[in-house]
Amino acid sequence: NRNMTSVQSIDSGVVRGTCHHDCPDTCGWEVTVEGGVAVKMRGNPNHPYSLGELCPKVNRYLDRVYSPERILYPLIRTGSKGSGEFRQATWDEALKLVATKVHEVSAEFGGEAVLPWGSAGTQGLIQMNSLDRRFFAKVGASRQVDSMCGATAMVGSTLTLGSPLANDPMDIEHSKLMLLWSTNTRLVNRHLWPFIEKARANGAKVVVIDPLKTMTAEAADVFIQPLPGTDVAMMLAMMHILIRDDLLDHDYIEKHTDGFAELKAQVADWTAERAAQVCGISAEEIESLAREYGTVKPVFIRTLIGAEHREHGAMFFRTLTCLPMLVGAWKHKGGGFSRSVGSYAETNVDDSVFDVPSLSDGKERRPLSMNHLGRVLNDATLAPPVKMLFVYNGNPLVTAPNTELIRQGLEREDLFTVVSEQFMTDTAQYADVVFPACTQIEQIDVVPSWGHLYLGWNHKAIEPLGESVANTELWRRLSRACGFTEPELFEDDESLILSALHDLDIEKLRNDGFVRLSLPENLQPYAEGGYSTASGKAMLINHGLPAVGLPALPTYAVGTEMAIDENSQYPLNLMSPKTHVRFLNSSYSHLGHHAEAEGEMFCEIHPHDAEKRGISHGERVRVFNDRGSLDVIARISADGGRVRSGVVVVPFGWVGSRTKDTKSVNALTNDQLANYGGGVAYYDTQVQVEKI
Ligand SMILES: Nc1nc2c(c(=O)[nH]1)N[C@H]1C(S)=C(S)[C@@H](COP(=O)(O)OP(=O)(O)OC[C@H]3O[C@@H](n4cnc5c(=O)[nH]c(N)nc54)[C@H](O)[C@@H]3O)O[C@H]1N2
Ligand SMILES: Nc1nc2c(c(=O)[nH]1)N[C@H]1C(S)=C(S)[C@@H](COP(=O)(O)OP(=O)(O)OC[C@H]3O[C@@H](n4cnc5c(=O)[nH]c(N)nc54)[C@H](O)[C@@H]3O)O[C@H]1N2
Ligand code: SF4
Ligand SMILES: [Mo]
């Protein structure tokens, strides 16, 4: 039953697929179909990384697919913007309306008055980003740039390594000391945890470094809880100690790094005592971490994106990646540094085939930051202004920063908003036209992973429900409705996929549902140096950085710790990470079962800060700043351990319909870009909390 062609669903049988969610685990799955209906879904037991397991989000995926809340037909707005009042329309009518608008707006303001905003609702190769690029190139639309996720972290580590490439996360199982630094593995990367446990069973130790006592921290051997945004000071002190106590791999430093002498001078006065002051932890914690880091081998650092959501996010990753150099950690299997391995997909996947420059006559199109959607929609000086917005694979009114500014933009009567969605999200409520999107089991794709080295195939298991379509089909229909004729705009799904894949066994990929990227079985990228830099050496000093306004050496931005100032108007630092096992970003939080199990959105506050404000556990509080205000329930951990004094948490993920004020935490968050890399400083947000 696995020999069916990939573009067709089947009547009955078992079909292999791959999870499309923006999650490092990219699990393999199997869907059982009976009479054209998907009746069962489980993990693909042969998948070498996910090992037959899915997760509390996707275990109920079929409820998502068959949810009565699915959008199954095109919708046209009838009520006021945001009212959520729509009528069902035919595809013809909806397409004609949108195509007419594209032409009108382009004629009056130019193509750049059209703006696409797409995120990673599906990470599939063609459904995330393929024909949309061609469609918007043809329209001459503004270009979406920057990223809510990963850009700053990637650029930061590249400033040292010369490329985003580092260790295979699965190699963590060979480690003896694992530093989970700013990542909540058990929650967000759950399929890596068994590999960590395996190492542990062999005597390895887990250290978690996070300003919050996460569920991962609770399972650690050692937990270090610095003040938010201060880690670089701790890293510099670790380097100071490694140098002071000569816990160095001199040979590796000599052969494979540039700038050790300068770095040594830079960290000379970064004693553990000084860093301890900055980080709000004890000098002994830093001393002991550095000693272990310098003596235990193999030593592995694991991180994802958490710390990038700050002004100085790039420096965190830049500095962190210097550590393995000093101890030669890369030389040992199970040693080094691991973050996203997404860039390894380039070994077999070339998505540049989706860019067809001739469609836009080679013209440069205006770049606009996706993190500044609110600013862009409200900027009267923008020439041309944005008059038409396409949102797909994302829900910016919940997930982008400073959402109330976005809401103000979406309310504009002179803005025409088109949303492609599976569900009536907060953002879709503001659409003029909504197109129905199908789910992963209704479409084909190939899914590269950023958490392991296996490429996943996704067969279509069932036919799209109602009149929903894959994103690729939406772009084809829009191109036709606009009267465009270039054949590249109409390429079919299988052809798109095959054009991008190279040097791999596609039959095996299709049959097994996954194939390992064509990389050496033993991937130790920097065991013998070979950095992608001009000198071939890692850049402890990076001479290119002053030109872009950053210091050449790892540097702690003095004053970051001052963010917590008791006397200021907004004295509390607001962190808003993922805390929910049943949500995937804002996905699933609108679905009854998931939402009810997670309970109401809350604000976690230290007993000391609560007491000062007369707040008791379970009482309603107002969390506010100049951007917005939220009415939530106070959570005070009995031992005061989850958050430090001066820090509060309102978690990310809850959608408007599930909150008291129909707003998510991003009503409060900072939309300033990080000082480098194009990410956004969500966590550099200050608030006040008061009892209601
Ligand atoms: N269940 C579930 N899983 C998910 C997701 C989800 O929504 N739900 N989302 C997926 C997505 S899109 C992504 S990108 C990944 C993200 O995966 P992670 O990057 O691991 O998750 P985050 O919650 O963004 O941040 C991780 C940790 O960084 C910490 N952190 C923040 N600032 C600092 C700092 O200054 N220093 C230190 N040391 N730590 C800091 C936070 O407290 C948080 O615990 O998770 C993916 N997996
Ligand atoms: N405060 C705060 N904000 C954050 C974060 C945080 O930690 N704290 N994390 C940030 C991070 S790391 C990320 S990645 C972003 C995530 O932000 P978004 O990418 O906006 O995440 P989702 O809310 O999951 O939105 C994905 C949407 O795509 C839709 N979708 C799924 N598949 C398809 C498809 O095939 N076609 C179409 N048309 N639609 C589809 C889903 O229904 C869903 O509504 O949020 C960021 N925002
Ligand atoms: S959301 Fe993540 S953990 Fe869950 S099935 Fe998808 S890839 Fe796996
Ligand atoms: Mo993300």
Side-chain angles (χ1 to χ4, degrees), residues 248-270:
L248 303 170
D249 186 327
H250 291 282
D251 185 54
Y252 194 91
I253 293 169
E254 169 75 22
K255 282 194 184 126
H256 304 304
T257 70
D258 272 327
F260 177 71
E262 291 91 336
L263 181 72
K264 184 176 173 183
Q266 176 79 350
V267 302
D269 52 6
W270 271 105

Side-chain angles (χ1 to χ4, degrees), residues 195-348:
F195 296 89
I196 292 172
E197 286 292 4
K198 203 162 156 191
R200 233 180 183 177
N202 291 325
K205 217 161 131 174
V206 177
V207 180
V208 168
I209 305 167
D210 198 304
L212 306 176
K213 191 169 188 184
T214 61
M215 66 159 81
T216 308
E218 274 160 8
D221 298 295
V222 177
F223 172 47
I224 300 176
Q225 192 173 21
L227 288 168
T230 63
D231 307 63
V232 169
M234 193 189 326
M235 297 170 199
L236 296 176
M238 283 174 73
M239 296 189 211
H240 172 97
I241 295 161
L242 294 171
I243 294 169
R244 181 198 68 195
D245 297 352
D246 195 22
L247 301 173
L248 303 170
D249 186 327
H250 291 282
D251 185 54
Y252 194 91
I253 293 169
E254 169 75 22
K255 282 194 184 126
H256 304 304
T257 70
D258 272 327
F260 177 71
E262 291 91 336
L263 181 72
K264 184 176 173 183
Q266 176 79 350
V267 302
D269 52 6
W270 271 105
T271 59
E273 289 70 25
R274 180 177 170 198
Q277 281 283 315
V278 172
C279 302
I281 55 179
S282 73
E284 184 41 45
E285 284 174 283
I286 303 175
E287 286 281 352
S288 125
L289 177 65
R291 257 193 320 271
E292 294 211 39
Y293 190 78
T295 50
V296 180
K297 290 178 194 345
V299 59
F300 199 94
I301 296 176
R302 172 65 174 167
T303 186
L304 284 171
I305 59 113
E308 80 163 16
H309 286 155
R310 298 183 178 281
E311 182 185 355
H312 301 288
M315 186 57 82
F316 175 99
F317 294 91
R318 151 90 174 119
T319 309
L320 190 59
T321 39
C322 290
L323 280 167
M325 307 298 165
L326 300 191
V327 299
W330 306 102
K331 295 198 311 202
H332 314 280
K333 190 161 178 70
F337 167 86
S338 176
R339 209 190 60 75
S340 164
V341 288
S343 300
Y344 278 115
E346 287 164 23
T347 312
N348 299 105

Side-chain angles (χ1 to χ4, degrees), residues 22 149 305 578 585:
D22 189 353
C149 175
I305 59 113
K578 297 98 180 157
N585 299 326

Side-chain angles (χ1 to χ4, degrees), residues 43 75 163 333 436 574:
L75 301 172
S163 111
K333 190 161 178 70
L574 172 70

Side-chain angles (χ1 to χ4, degrees), residues 568-586:
S568 70
Q569 187 184 7
Y570 300 121
L572 301 165
N573 182 241
L574 172 70
M575 294 183 56
S576 49
K578 297 98 180 157
T579 63
H580 41 258
V581 294
R582 296 169 197 83
F583 303 163
L584 197 284
N585 299 326
S586 84

Side-chain angles (χ1 to χ4, degrees), residues 19 21 23 25-27 54-55 57-58 191:
C19 185
H21 280 305
C23 168
D25 289 353
T26 316
C27 299
L54 297 173
C55 70
K57 294 145 279 182
V58 171
H191 293 86

